[in-house]
Structures are given as C-alpha cells and as structure tokens.
Amino acid sequence: MAQQPAPSPASAAAAQKTFDTGQIDQFLAPVALYPDALLSQILMASTYPSDVADAVAWSKANPKATGDAAVKQVGSQPWDPSVQSLVAFPEVLAQMGAHPDWVRNLGDAFLAQPDDVMASVQRLRAQAQKAGNLKTTEQQKVVVQQTQQTTVIQIEPTNPEVVYVPSYNPTVVYGTWAYPAYPPTYWPPPPGYYHPVATGLAAGLAFGTGVAIANSLWGGFDWGHNDVHIDVNRYNNINVHNRISGIGNVNWNHNAANRRGTPYRDAGTRQRFDNGVGGAQQRQAFRGHDAGQDANRQRAMQSFDKQTHGGAAASARRPGEAPIGANRPGGAGAGTRDGALANRGNRDAGNRVGANGAGTRRDSGATRSNAFSGVRSPDHAAVQQRGQNSMRNAGGGGQRFNAGGGRPGGGAAAHPVNRPVPSRGGGMRRR
C-alpha cells in the first residue's frame, strides 16, 4: 500500500479553520437581517477596527450628522471608505462602538473565512423567514432567488434612497437557536433610538427613522461567487477624495495599510495581508513613531553640538555618546588626566574658601558632568588669584579663621573674618 504524502503546512493551515459554524452564526446574528448594501459595508468596515473606533468618536461628537452629508464631512479623514460610509448611520456606529470585541471578531471571520460568513448570512435569513419574522414591509423588500442547488435571500430597501435599519432580538427572530454553546447576543437599541422601535421588538423586526441616502451605500453582494462588490459610480460620487477606476461593479479587496497595527488573528490571514506592513515597523507606526521626526531631532542635536563644543569633533561622535571630556574632571575643556591633575593641584587643601564665616563649595562645574557640561566655566586660576589678592589686602587686621575649624593653623589660610566682641555683661567670653 502506497504511503500518502504528509500535507504541506499551507494546506494544513487552510484545513484548520479559525472559527466554527456556531461562532460565525453568533457573530452574524445581530446584523444578518440588515439590507444587503448596509451589511456588506459593515463587513468591510469591521476589518479596520481602529478606523471604526475613530468613526464612532466622530459620530458621538456630531450626533446630528447623518446620510450623505455626514459622509462628505469625513471625506478628508484617513479612514477606509467603508468606514466613512457608516457615519451616515449613527445608530449602527453606536452599536459597533459599544461592542468593539464583536467588531474585531466579525472582521477576523470575514477575512479568514468569507465563504463561511456568506453561508451564515443565508442560513440565518432562512431561519428568520421560516419563523415568520422576515418578510417584505414598507421599509424593506425581501427577494428570494431559487436555483437547483441554492436559495439566496436578498434584502433591499423599498425605496433605494431611504434605508431603514432594523432592530430585533436574535433570541426571538431566528426561532430555536441551534448552538447552545454560542447563544446570540441581544443588542437593545442604543440610547436615543428607543422610542421609534420599542413597540415592534416583541413581534420580530422593528424599524426606526429612515436614513436618506443617495451614494453612501455603494457595496453589495455577488451571492453566486460569495464576493463583496463595489458599485463604482455610486462610490466615486461620494468618495471624491479617493476615487477608483472601473465600470459597473468591481470586487472589494482588503487594504492592509488601513489596518493601522491591529494584528491579524490567524496565520493564513497574516500571510495574505501582513507582508510588508506587519512586524516592528507596523507596530511603531501604530504607536505614532515617525522616522522623519527622529531625523530632525538628530540634526538639531548635531547643530547644538557644533555651537557649544566647537564643531567637527563634537558633531562627529555617535548618537547618544557623551561630549568629549564631559565625564572627566575639568569639564569639556579638560578632557585629559593631566588637566585633572592640574585642577587638583590648584585647589586649596581645605577644599573650601571661607566667606563671611561660612565656607562655599568648590566650583562643581569643573568636576561634575550634567546637562550643561561643556559650557564655559570660570577659570580656576583666576579664582585662586582673587583669593590671594584678598588675603594680601586684609593684612594683619584681625585674626584669620579657616573654613575647617575656625582656628589658625588648621589648614590653608582663608579670608579674614572680623567678629563683633560681645559685652562683658552678656556672660560671653571672646574666643
């Protein structure tokens, strides 16, 4: 019996699906009964979670913006056009903003298993129709196309220029749920949308206020091939800053550049979309890293070095290297052991010079490296000379005290200090 060859890693990864049927049905349950055009753009937009989060924030800040007018207002935003289109429907974005994990899961499932996602939509629609909760109404038109092999259920707006977003309880509208381990989640209408829909929820689908649109919804489904397509004419009419070429319908493709650092869940999706975008470079871009700013900072540092350290020698050092002599005695100007020894010899034996009876610390700028290392400090020899001149001028007028103990002979001579003699009546004795 011939031995079968081991499956390749690529085929093994393809055979191992990220999500099972129950999980995908759970993800699709809240939106499977939306009109095809709106659902297709929700699927596209869910593959860009970071863009969705930004659009949610914008919609909250602009609660009265709806329809085509809202989409035009965000035309200059760097979001994917599928995400821009959703600002036409604040209610939808409010739900997506309240469930970011669901957005991520739906997008991951759509990228990894698009055929399974399409099959889930049709399966759930068939269940809702069988339960008597999916039918043509004043707001929507349900179209059933039967072939020898499949049944396709499409949902379209009754008026192509007015779209109604349905609200429903998945635990009711689909009848008996087939996956107890993955129960569908009920999303009540978000705040501000309760009144127009609350009365109809118990009976199945309910509808809020229609959204007037002309071009905001440009997506759709090619159910025969399980593809999402784009109506080029409608798309270009609204996305004037990001037009595409073509005639009629073209297939949608995920744009990895708009993923903005959100990692892909499975190895197969990473292999398809993460090449040249992922890795450390992608993570840095997501965190706001800008190589151009780094270059500007480096040029500024070099310019500062030239001004403060004398030019070529300072600017030629490696980035991050301390200035020459900055960590050595004598500051930037010393830079050698001989310089350190010379400074050490010039210091007085007591390391301090007394002034008005209190010692002052030695010049720390010459021996300590800090943020101002390299800036010109007073010449130590000049300081010493000034001290000697002061001593000569004082002459013998008064007893001299050193900074160490206040008695003669305790160290190098310091400035003369005259102290007042207390009166005898005070009980004090002159030292």
Side-chain angles (χ1 to χ4, degrees):
M1 181 177 179
Q3 186 177 2
Q4 295 293 330
S8 64
S11 61
Q16 185 178 2
K17 293 185 177 182
T18 304
F19 304 102
D20 60 29
T21 301
Q23 288 176 295
I24 293 180
D25 278 11
Q26 183 187 50
F27 300 156
L28 269 299
V31 293
L33 304 185
Y34 282 15
D36 284 19
L38 178 58
L39 176 59
S40 68
Q41 295 193 201
I42 290 175
L43 291 177
M44 289 184 277
S46 66
T47 67
Y48 311 107
S50 297
D51 283 358
V52 170
D54 287 347
V56 169
W58 186 92
S59 185
K60 286 182 179 179
N62 300 271
K64 295 183 179 181
T66 63
D68 289 347
V71 178
K72 290 179 180 179
Q73 291 182 47
V74 298
S76 60
Q77 296 290 343
W79 315 330
D80 188 83
S82 63
V83 177
Q84 293 181 4
S85 70
L86 292 184
V87 301
F89 302 90
E91 178 182 356
V92 174
L93 274 181
Q95 294 286 32
M96 297 177 80
H99 304 89
D101 291 340
W102 172 83
V103 173
R104 172 80 182 276
N105 287 330
L106 181 65
D108 289 343
F110 183 50
L111 290 175
Q113 299 163 238
D115 290 343
D116 292 336
V117 168
M118 300 288 195
S120 173
V121 172
Q122 289 299 321
R123 183 166 52 249
L124 292 172
R125 288 179 175 182
Q127 289 178 215
Q129 189 180 49
K130 183 178 180 180
N133 294 318
L134 180 61
K135 60 187 71 174
T136 298
T137 65
E138 295 179 0
Q139 295 84 12
Q140 67 181 18
K141 181 169 56 176
V142 178
V143 180
V144 180
Q145 294 182 345
Q146 185 75 45
T147 65
Q148 294 181 351
Q149 299 177 345
T150 60
T151 299
V152 174
I153 301 175
Q154 297 176 311
I155 302 176
E156 303 171 355
T158 302
N159 181 349
E161 295 186 357
V162 180
V163 177
Y164 292 87
V165 180
S167 295
Y168 56 89
N169 187 341
T171 61
V172 175
V173 75
Y174 295 118
T176 303
W177 189 254
Y179 313 101
Y182 304 108
T185 302
Y186 168 53
W187 295 353
Y193 299 92
Y194 285 102
H195 178 71
V197 300
T199 56
L201 286 176
L205 271 67
F207 299 90
T209 304
V211 177
I213 56 116
N215 298 299
S216 296
L217 292 184
W218 37 259
F221 292 112
D222 180 0
W223 292 109
H225 299 90
N226 282 342
D227 290 327
V228 170
H229 62 236
I230 296 172
D231 184 318
V232 175
N233 187 52
R234 290 172 66 95
Y235 174 94
N236 287 338
N237 283 340
I238 194 70
N239 294 291
V240 294
H241 300 292
N242 190 19
R243 294 185 175 181
I244 58 176
S245 60
I247 299 175
N249 294 329
V250 297
N251 287 340
W252 171 81
N253 291 299
H254 174 69
N255 182 5
N258 280 356
R259 187 74 172 181
R260 291 175 54 190
T262 304
Y264 294 102
R265 185 184 298 261
D266 61 284
T269 305
R270 286 194 296 271
Q271 185 176 4
R272 288 165 56 204
F273 298 113
D274 216 11
N275 293 334
V277 180
Q281 185 177 7
Q282 181 188 22
R283 290 191 296 272
Q284 288 178 349
F286 180 62
R287 295 168 183 162
H289 180 81
D290 190 337
Q293 291 182 357
D294 287 349
N296 290 336
R297 283 193 292 268
Q298 182 62 26
R299 287 193 293 269
M301 290 174 61
Q302 291 176 352
S303 176
F304 177 78
D305 286 343
K306 290 179 181 180
Q307 294 177 12
T308 58
H309 297 294
S315 61
R317 67 175 184 270
R318 294 186 298 271
E321 185 178 354
I324 298 174
N327 294 321
R328 299 173 182 172
T336 64
R337 183 176 179 84
D338 293 340
L341 294 176
N343 283 337
R344 184 180 304 170
N346 289 334
R347 289 197 299 266
D348 61 273
N351 289 331
R352 297 182 183 180
V353 179
N356 298 327
T360 58
R361 290 184 298 181
R362 66 182 180 271
D363 179 22
S364 60
T367 59
R368 183 180 303 169
S369 176
N370 54 35
F372 298 98
S373 296
V375 179
R376 188 177 62 181
S377 58
D379 184 86
H380 191 86
V383 173
Q384 184 184 29
Q385 184 64 39
R386 287 197 299 271
Q388 293 173 352
N389 292 338
S390 177
M391 292 294 297
R392 284 195 296 269
N393 293 335
Q399 190 175 2
R400 291 180 295 179
F401 291 81
N402 66 16
R407 296 172 184 263
H415 290 285
V417 178
N418 295 324
R419 296 183 179 179
V421 179
S423 63
R424 296 184 181 272
M428 296 183 64
R429 185 178 58 186
R430 181 177 180 182
R431 293 182 179 179

